[in-house]
Amino acid sequence: MTDRNAGRVTLAEVAELAGVSASTASLAFSGRGPVSDQTRERVMSAAAELNYAGPDPRGQSLRLGTSGIVGVLIADRIGVSFRDPVLIQTLDGLADEISKIGASLLLIPELDRGTAAVANAPIDALVLLCVGTEAGEIARVLGGRGVPTVQIEGPENNAITSVNLDNYGGGRAAAEHLAALGHERVATVTLGVDRQRVVAPLSPEREAVGTVETTLERLRGARAVYPNITGVIAGSSRVEAGRLATLRLLDVPAAERPTAVIAQSDLIAVGVIAAAEELGLRVPEDLSVVGFDGIRVDGFERRLTTVWQPAHAKGQAAGRAVLAMLEGQGVPSADFEVSFVAGDTTGPVPTTR
């Protein structure tokens, strides 16, 4: 009898154990085609028993096992993501580095079947860009096939090379600034805590099951100063999302309104200011606002108080890690600092409410 553990397990061996044809097993892994749930489960069980990670996506390439493509798993839809200047700067930095070997980027949204799609994509390497903890399983599967994986701002994972940002320190710096100005009633408008990109109250239940580490770390930083801070989830880094979230946040009696808001992105912060003005509130006389990112927002002429981050440099670091790993080199994780930038959107606590 052939030793199934000798060498790399093949798809044919999985099909044999599952009692199906090789083509049916292939369709079960791709997630496409007329394969019943029962058959797919039988194939996956056989694969798990044989420790089979799946077909090597690079084997589908026409170029001697390399595709010249680096996959990037992003947290939101393409259209939404391309309106986020921070993501664009990060992608620019990544592209600058991988272009040195003539490689291209393939963007795949994490939403819906994004993780399944990336598992079958003919890519040479994968970059996880601020996605949730669920993507760690995809990194494990691709790692089993020898596909290098780098994450930018993800949960701690010793098995994945990471490009980290001090999101905790940034959230804390924003909160400490407001505390120094005397603010006690402080709220936050956050990025998404999970895949549900909807405006919703920041409840303990939602936070407990949150999967987006960037959001959670910035919130933990703010809580180091304001332990009981609460607020609204904007769901994504968009001005309109920030505006809608703030209208909900401020829909309380004047005496209960926060005197300051920590927004988890500059785009959200601009939405916070738009909502405040819509309600007849002055910034910062009636409401102080702090953002995060340090970007220029089109059409916004004020100097936003914010926390600056090196988005382009993060992308470059991820790109350098990818190139080194493709050469078979070990790469340590990279850590980036943030810096607080004072602007004209924060001030002392209002004397009258």
Side-chain angles (χ1 to χ4, degrees):
M1 178 179 292
T2 302
D3 182 0
R4 293 186 186 276
N5 293 319
R8 179 181 173 86
V9 177
T10 67
L11 183 61
E13 290 175 297
V14 174
E16 179 184 357
L17 182 60
V20 300
S21 67
S23 60
T24 297
S26 178
L27 287 173
F29 269 96
S30 71
R32 301 184 294 272
V35 179
S36 69
D37 291 341
Q38 183 178 12
T39 298
R40 182 175 287 108
E41 182 177 350
R42 198 160 70 245
V43 171
M44 294 305 174
S45 295
E49 182 177 335
L50 296 175
N51 197 28
Y52 177 71
D56 188 341
R58 295 175 298 178
Q60 302 171 26
S61 173
L62 300 179
R63 292 182 54 202
L64 302 177
T66 60
S67 64
I69 297 174
V70 174
V72 183
L73 193 62
I74 57 178
D76 218 327
R77 297 185 301 275
I78 298 291
V80 172
S81 297
F82 268 73
R83 292 197 291 270
D84 183 351
V86 175
L87 184 137
I88 296 301
Q89 290 177 24
T90 305
L91 289 176
D92 280 346
L94 176 59
D96 286 348
E97 293 299 318
I98 68 165
S99 65
K100 294 176 181 178
I101 60 169
S104 302
L105 295 179
L106 172 65
L107 304 185
I108 305 174
E110 184 189 19
L111 301 174
D112 301 324
R113 294 189 57 80
T115 50
V118 82
N120 295 286
I123 56 178
D124 297 330
L126 174 67
V127 177
L128 308 175
L129 183 49
C130 300
V131 297
T133 54
E134 306 96 330
E137 175 61 17
I138 295 300
R140 186 196 67 78
V141 171
L142 292 185
R145 303 178 204 166
V147 178
T149 303
V150 177
Q151 71 172 356
I152 300 177
E153 291 184 60
E156 185 175 349
N157 188 333
N158 293 332
I160 304 177
T161 296
S162 300
V163 175
N164 305 309
L165 183 73
D166 187 11
N167 286 298
Y168 175 90
R172 181 166 186 159
E176 287 176 340
H177 170 70
L178 294 175
L181 291 171
H183 292 276
E184 297 179 353
R185 292 205 308 273
V186 178
T188 184
V189 179
T190 76
L191 298 162
V193 297
D194 53 30
R195 290 187 182 186
Q196 304 303 314
R197 311 295 176 186
V198 295
V199 174
L202 178 63
S203 66
E205 294 77 17
R206 283 183 177 271
E207 189 178 341
V209 297
T211 60
V212 181
E213 196 67 15
T214 297
T215 302
L216 298 176
E217 277 296 292
R218 292 180 187 181
L219 185 55
R220 291 178 190 121
R223 287 236 168 90
V225 180
Y226 296 103
N228 299 317
I229 193 171
T230 187
V232 178
I233 301 167
S236 61
S237 185
R238 296 185 295 119
V239 173
E240 181 61 10
R243 187 185 75 85
L244 293 175
T246 304
L247 290 176
R248 178 176 295 195
L249 176 70
L250 299 180
D251 187 21
V252 294
E256 298 176 15
R257 283 178 178 169
T259 62
V261 172
I262 300 173
Q264 287 197 343
S265 81
D266 287 349
L267 291 177
I268 290 176
V270 172
V272 171
I273 293 170
E277 293 175 345
E278 190 175 325
L279 295 172
L281 300 176
R282 300 166 300 165
V283 174
E285 291 83 359
D286 301 315
L287 183 72
S288 288
V289 180
V290 183
F292 199 119
D293 290 329
I295 61 171
R296 178 181 177 83
V297 180
D298 290 342
F300 185 74
E301 301 301 327
R302 299 186 60 172
R303 292 185 299 109
L304 182 66
T305 299
T306 188
V307 176
W308 174 86
Q309 64 155 306
H312 189 269
K314 287 191 309 181
Q316 287 181 307
R320 288 192 295 270
V322 165
L323 297 188
M325 294 170 75
L326 287 173
E327 292 294 326
Q329 303 173 20
V331 182
S333 293
D335 298 302
F336 287 90
E337 299 297 322
V338 298
S339 57
F340 178 78
V341 180
D344 63 14
T345 60
T346 53
V349 180
T351 55
T352 58
R353 297 291 291 165

